[in-house]
Amino acid sequence: MALLELRDCTIRFGGLTAVASFSMKLPANGLYGLIGPNGAGKTTIFNMITGVYRPTEGEVLLAGQSLVGMKPYQICSLGVARTFQNIRLCRSLSVLETVQMSLVKGLSYGFASAAMNFGAFAKEEARVHDFIIETLSLFELDQYANDPATSLPYGDQRRLEIVRALASNPRLLLLDEPAAGTNPSEKRELLNLIRQVKERFEVAILLIEHDMSVVMGICEQIVVLHYGAKIVEGTAEEIRRNPKVIEAYLGEEV
């Protein structure tokens, strides 16, 4: 059984069909890419998966369970996390606090239990702190733990968003243009980090990316969208040579 499955998903906004009869399957621990020209419907698909939009038709399934009609927080609690194309960090929080915010659903105590058993509370707090520092260290962000999150360089803010998403212990991680705005050196580091994340956290990853060097360099399978419809799916080599992909990107017949 696929971890994530979309079956004939269509979404309409008034008279506009943003995505038409889109289907795909992502296996557990798979790493797939979703590409296409601007306006192809990529982020709309992410929004359908995470409950921001409800598909007009079709099904979105996580390990066989339908996500259609669920709220975003309910879908998150089932193990789906995402980053956004535009960085969304709170100015008032430190790097550590930004990650800690995503760990709330995994805590084993509430206010009452913390008040009655301070020892257990302190032990849990120490465990959470160690986990955050360890994860930040993987992304080389641990030295900034107490700095304001928005004071980090752009590339580090991108990586912090991934750490924050991972802190919710997801089964499925959706990355929306993780390489946007990064330089060539940061892109190479990102490729290695995504590979590490997939193996270390045993998480399935679906990413949207315009940088073909990133997509071709890391994705096991690539799905190509054009005007809201899937035109082809295959390996990097198959996608690179496909005439429909060349036509969609270059706007000419091949």
Side-chain angles (χ1 to χ4, degrees), residues 33-35 215-216 219-224 232-236 239:
L34 187 59
I35 68 171
V215 175
M216 299 293 182
C219 293
E220 299 156 1
Q221 287 281 113
I222 300 168
V223 178
V224 186
V232 67
E233 178 177 351
T235 64
I239 296 301

Side-chain angles (χ1 to χ4, degrees), residues 1-7 49 59-68 70 74-75 77-80 171:
M1 180 188 294
L3 176 64
L4 173 69
E5 182 176 2
L6 285 83
R7 296 179 184 168
I49 295 170
E59 280 288 347
V60 180
L61 305 167
L62 183 72
Q65 179 178 356
S66 177
L67 303 181
V68 175
M70 289 189 180
Q74 295 172 316
I75 294 173
S77 71
L78 293 176
V80 180
R171 290 185 284 172

Side-chain angles (χ1 to χ4, degrees), residues 34-38 40 42 208-212 215-216 222-226 231-232 239 242-252 254:
L34 187 59
I35 68 171
N38 287 331
K42 304 181 297 296
I208 293 171
E209 187 52 64
H210 282 291
D211 190 307
M212 290 299 99
V215 175
M216 299 293 182
I222 300 168
V223 178
V224 186
L225 281 175
H226 192 46
I231 58 174
V232 67
I239 296 301
N242 192 287
K244 292 182 179 179
V245 178
I246 297 171
E247 182 179 348
Y249 273 95
L250 300 182
E252 60 187 32
V254 178

Side-chain angles (χ1 to χ4, degrees), residues 3-253:
L3 176 64
L4 173 69
E5 182 176 2
L6 285 83
R7 296 179 184 168
D8 296 318
C9 285
T10 295
I11 186 164
R12 301 185 184 92
F13 301 102
L16 172 67
T17 300
V19 175
S21 299
F22 179 82
S23 297
M24 72 165 290
K25 293 181 180 181
L26 174 64
N29 208 34
L31 204 174
Y32 283 22
L34 187 59
I35 68 171
N38 287 331
K42 304 181 297 296
T43 298
T44 300
I45 288 173
F46 270 25
N47 286 336
M48 284 194 289
I49 295 170
T50 55
V52 177
Y53 296 152
R54 179 170 183 157
T56 309
E57 300 167 9
E59 280 288 347
V60 180
L61 305 167
L62 183 72
Q65 179 178 356
S66 177
L67 303 181
V68 175
M70 289 189 180
K71 302 295 185 183
Y73 74 88
Q74 295 172 316
I75 294 173
C76 178
S77 71
L78 293 176
V80 180
R82 73 177 292 182
T83 65
F84 293 87
Q85 184 177 351
N86 298 317
I87 295 173
R88 301 183 180 187
L89 298 175
C90 183
R91 293 181 181 274
S92 63
L93 296 181
S94 69
V95 168
L96 189 144
E97 290 167 339
T98 296
V99 182
Q100 194 171 28
M101 193 169 53
S102 295
L103 281 162
V104 172
K105 77 178 183 69
L107 296 178
S108 60
Y109 61 82
F111 176 79
S113 58
M116 290 186 292
N117 191 345
F118 184 78
F121 167 76
K123 185 176 180 179
E124 182 77 349
E125 283 287 288
R127 182 191 67 81
V128 167
H129 182 273
D130 290 346
F131 171 81
I132 293 172
I133 295 300
E134 181 183 355
T135 309
L136 287 173
S137 178
L138 175 65
F139 286 77
E140 299 182 354
L141 295 173
D142 51 313
Q143 66 268 36
Y144 306 121
N146 297 313
D147 294 350
T150 53
S151 72
L152 269 57
Y154 185 85
D156 288 341
Q157 290 189 35
R158 281 277 177 201
R159 289 189 289 170
L160 178 58
E161 278 218 315
I162 298 175
V163 176
R164 181 176 62 182
L166 286 171
S168 66
N169 192 30
R171 290 185 284 172
L172 171 63
L173 179 61
L174 306 176
L175 302 178
D176 196 345
E177 296 197 37
T182 59
N183 60 44
S185 175
E186 289 170 332
K187 285 185 175 70
R188 288 191 295 271
E189 292 176 3
L190 180 68
L191 286 175
N192 291 329
L193 279 172
I194 291 175
R195 291 190 188 101
Q196 289 182 54
V197 164
K198 176 179 175 289
E199 298 305 322
R200 182 162 183 168
F201 292 89
E202 298 182 347
V203 62
I205 298 174
L206 179 62
L207 66 88
I208 293 171
E209 187 52 64
H210 282 291
D211 190 307
M212 290 299 99
S213 67
V214 173
V215 175
M216 299 293 182
I218 199 171
C219 293
E220 299 156 1
Q221 287 281 113
I222 300 168
V223 178
V224 186
L225 281 175
H226 192 46
Y227 292 116
K230 181 168 75 172
I231 58 174
V232 67
E233 178 177 351
T235 64
E237 189 59 32
E238 290 168 340
I239 296 301
R240 187 180 288 113
R241 297 180 177 182
N242 192 287
K244 292 182 179 179
V245 178
I246 297 171
E247 182 179 348
Y249 273 95
L250 300 182
E252 60 187 32
E253 292 187 10

